[in-house]
Amino acid sequence: MTELHRLDATDQAALLRSGDVSAVELVQHHLDRIATYGERLGAFITVTADRALMQAGAADERRTAGGDIPPMLGVPTAIKDLNSTAGVPTTFGSVAMRDFVPQVNAYVVDMMEAAGLISLGKTNTPEFGLSSYTDNDLVGPARTPWDLSRNAGGSSGGAATSIAAGLIPFAQGTDGGGSIRIPASACGIFGFKPSRGRVSMGPTGSDVSGLAGNGPLSRSVRDAATMLDLIAHPMPGDLRPLPEPRVHFAQWITYEPKRLRIARWSATHLEGIDPQPDAMEAWERASRLLESLGHEIIDITNPFAAELEPQFNVIWSTGIATVPIPPEAEHQLRANTRYWRERGHRTSGEELMAAMQFVEATSRQAMIDLDSYDAFLTPTLAMPPQPVEWFNASGDPVEDHWRELQFTPYTALYNMSGQPAASLPLHWNDDGLPIGVMLAARSGDDGPLFSLCAQVEAAAPWAERRPPAFS
C-alpha cells in the first residue's frame, strides 16, 4: 500500500470507507509525522494529539455502527490559528493572545467537523495574519519544505508547509490579501481563494471590508473542490452570502472546459516593482500549456489602478486597529503589528469610508473592463520563496512593507475585487524552489475556475513532485 501521507484526502477517505485503514491508524500516522517534522518546519502552534485520537476512536465506532456516515469521517486536517476553535487555544499568532481559549467555533470549523474531519491542531500564522510571510514570537517562522532556510509564505504558511511535507492531506486557510495563494506558491501546492461571500466568516469573524475569506489548501484540485463543497454554506446573518451552488465543485472538476478566452498580464500595478525571471518563466510556460489545451491567450494591460494599494492599506490598517488588545498587552505585539495599528488609529471614519468606496468603484470598473474574458493569468508571486530573515531584516516596518509588496504585488487585487483565484504549482526553478502561477475567474465563477484548474492539473500533474527530505 502507498504510504498514507502520500495519499490525498480523497483517497484517504476511500481507504476509511473500505475498512483498509482505521481513523485511529490514519490520525496516528500523521501525528507521528508532525512529531518528527513539525517543529523543524514551524508548521503548528498547537498540536491537539489526545483530542484528535479520541475523535478518531469515536469515528471508528461510528463507522462500525453504520447509519448516516459523514463523507470525510476520520480524515485528518488542521485549522489555521486565526480561526476560533472552542476549547482549543487560538493565539492569532500573538504572544498577547497566548492564553485565549474561545467558547465557540468559527462557522467554517463547524462545517468541517460536521463532515467528519479531525483537526490535529492549529497551524502557524503571523501575528493576526498581517504579513505575506509566516513568523511570530510564539514558535517562529514557518519554512517551505523545499528549502528550510526560506519562509513558507503567509499568512497560511503553517497549513501550506504541513500539506507539502505530508503532515496533513489538506487544510483550511484564510485569505485577506493572498494568504492562501502566497504560501501555496511558496510550498508547491494548490491554493484556492473562493469568491467573496462563498464561505462564511461567522460567527465572530468580520466581513465588513469584504477582503478576507476562508478557503482550501491541498495537493490536488479534487481535494480543494471537496473541501469547498463542505464549507460553502451560508450562515444566517452573513453580510454577503452567495447561494448554495447548484452544482457541487467536486462535480465541476469532471467537466471539460470549453475553449476559453484567457487574458494575461505580468506587469504589476505598482511603480518600481517587476516580476523576477523565475516568475516570468513560470507564467510563460503556463501560457503555452493553456494554449496547448485549446484556449485563446490574449495579452492585455494590467487593468488594476496603482491607487488601489494605498486605499487597501487604509482598510487593512483600520481592521488591525480594531482588534481588542488589552492595553497592558500592547507592548507584547511585534513592531510590524504596532506599526499597522498606529496607522489604523490615525484613520478617520471619513477616510475609511472613502477608501472602501474607492476600492469598490475601481475594482468594479476593472471587472467591467475584463467582462469579455473567461479567466485571467498572472504570476502568483513576483519572486521565489525568500530567506526567513529577508522581510524584516532591517527591523523597520516601512521597509518590511516595501519588501512584501515586491514579493506579492498580484494577489490582493482579487481580494479587493472579490473574484475567485487559485495558485497552481506548475514550475520549479533551477534551485528546486516552487514558483506558482495564478488563474482567476469572474466573481461567482468558482465552479468554472475549478474545471479549468483540473484540466491543467491533468495535463501537467504535480502530485508526485514532493520535497525530497519529507517524501
Side-chain angles (χ1 to χ4, degrees), residues 218-229:
S218 60
R219 289 201 56 80
S220 63
V221 174
R222 68 178 184 175
D223 271 6
T226 295
M227 179 172 281
L228 191 55
D229 278 328

Side-chain angles (χ1 to χ4, degrees), residues 79-345:
I79 306 299
K80 185 177 179 179
D81 210 19
L82 290 185
N83 294 83
S84 294
T85 43
V88 177
T90 300
T91 72
F92 305 96
S94 177
V95 171
M97 302 296 290
R98 185 199 303 269
D99 299 322
F100 176 62
V101 180
Q103 300 301 304
V104 298
N105 281 336
Y107 189 66
V108 68
V109 175
D110 283 338
M111 295 294 96
M112 293 170 70
E113 289 183 352
L117 292 169
I118 296 175
S119 173
L120 307 190
K122 305 302 290 289
T123 55
N124 198 3
T125 185
E127 193 164 57
F128 301 109
L130 270 175
S131 61
S132 58
Y133 60 95
T134 296
D135 195 3
N136 57 52
D137 293 333
L138 289 167
V139 298
R143 303 168 185 269
T144 175
W146 296 92
D147 181 345
L148 294 180
S149 72
R150 296 174 184 262
N151 200 276
S155 61
S156 305
T161 193
S162 295
I163 295 161
L167 309 189
I168 49 176
F170 66 169
Q172 161 272 345
T174 60
D175 193 318
S179 291
I180 287 172
R181 292 157 289 155
I182 295 164
S185 178
C187 293
I189 63 170
F190 182 72
F192 192 96
K193 181 198 84 68
S195 292
R196 178 177 295 146
R198 181 68 72 192
V199 182
S200 176
M201 292 295 288
T204 57
S206 173
D207 194 32
V208 171
S209 71
L211 294 177
N214 292 280
L217 295 111
S218 60
R219 289 201 56 80
S220 63
V221 174
R222 68 178 184 175
D223 271 6
T226 295
M227 179 172 281
L228 191 55
D229 278 328
L230 300 178
I231 64 178
H233 306 289
M235 181 180 186
D238 284 349
L239 290 181
R240 300 178 177 89
L242 289 179
E244 299 271 354
R246 292 194 301 267
V247 177
H248 288 167
F249 300 114
Q251 185 65 33
W252 271 104
I253 68 172
T254 68
Y255 298 158
E256 187 75 13
K258 65 178 183 180
R259 185 172 191 262
L260 303 178
R261 300 184 75 240
I262 301 176
R264 74 166 197 164
W265 63 90
S266 62
T268 79
H269 67 302
L270 300 173
E271 184 177 353
I273 296 179
D274 298 303
Q276 292 186 357
D278 288 338
M280 288 296 294
E281 183 180 356
W283 177 72
E284 291 285 8
R285 292 179 65 175
S287 300
R288 294 194 295 272
L289 174 61
L290 289 163
E291 282 186 320
S292 75
L293 294 172
H295 303 299
E296 181 184 5
I297 307 299
I298 303 122
D299 286 292
I300 68 169
T301 301
N302 189 325
F304 292 96
E307 293 78 12
L308 282 167
E309 199 272 330
Q311 301 307 317
F312 177 90
N313 291 339
V314 170
I315 301 169
W316 193 252
S317 61
T318 308
I320 187 59
T322 63
V323 174
I325 303 295
E328 65 273 14
E330 286 278 348
H331 73 281
Q332 296 180 300
L333 301 177
R334 288 166 70 92
N336 281 2
T337 307
R338 293 198 302 272
Y339 165 76
W340 284 105
R341 280 173 68 81
E342 289 163 6
R343 284 188 63 168
H345 285 311

Side-chain angles (χ1 to χ4, degrees), residues 49 56 100 103 106 142 177 239 329 433 442 449 466:
F100 176 62
Q103 300 301 304
L239 290 181
L433 296 172
R442 289 183 290 247
L449 181 57
R466 297 172 182 268

Side-chain angles (χ1 to χ4, degrees), residues 32-48:
D32 289 345
R33 288 187 65 81
I34 292 172
T36 302
Y37 301 118
E39 186 174 352
R40 193 187 315 174
L41 291 162
F44 281 77
I45 292 178
T46 302
V47 178
T48 54

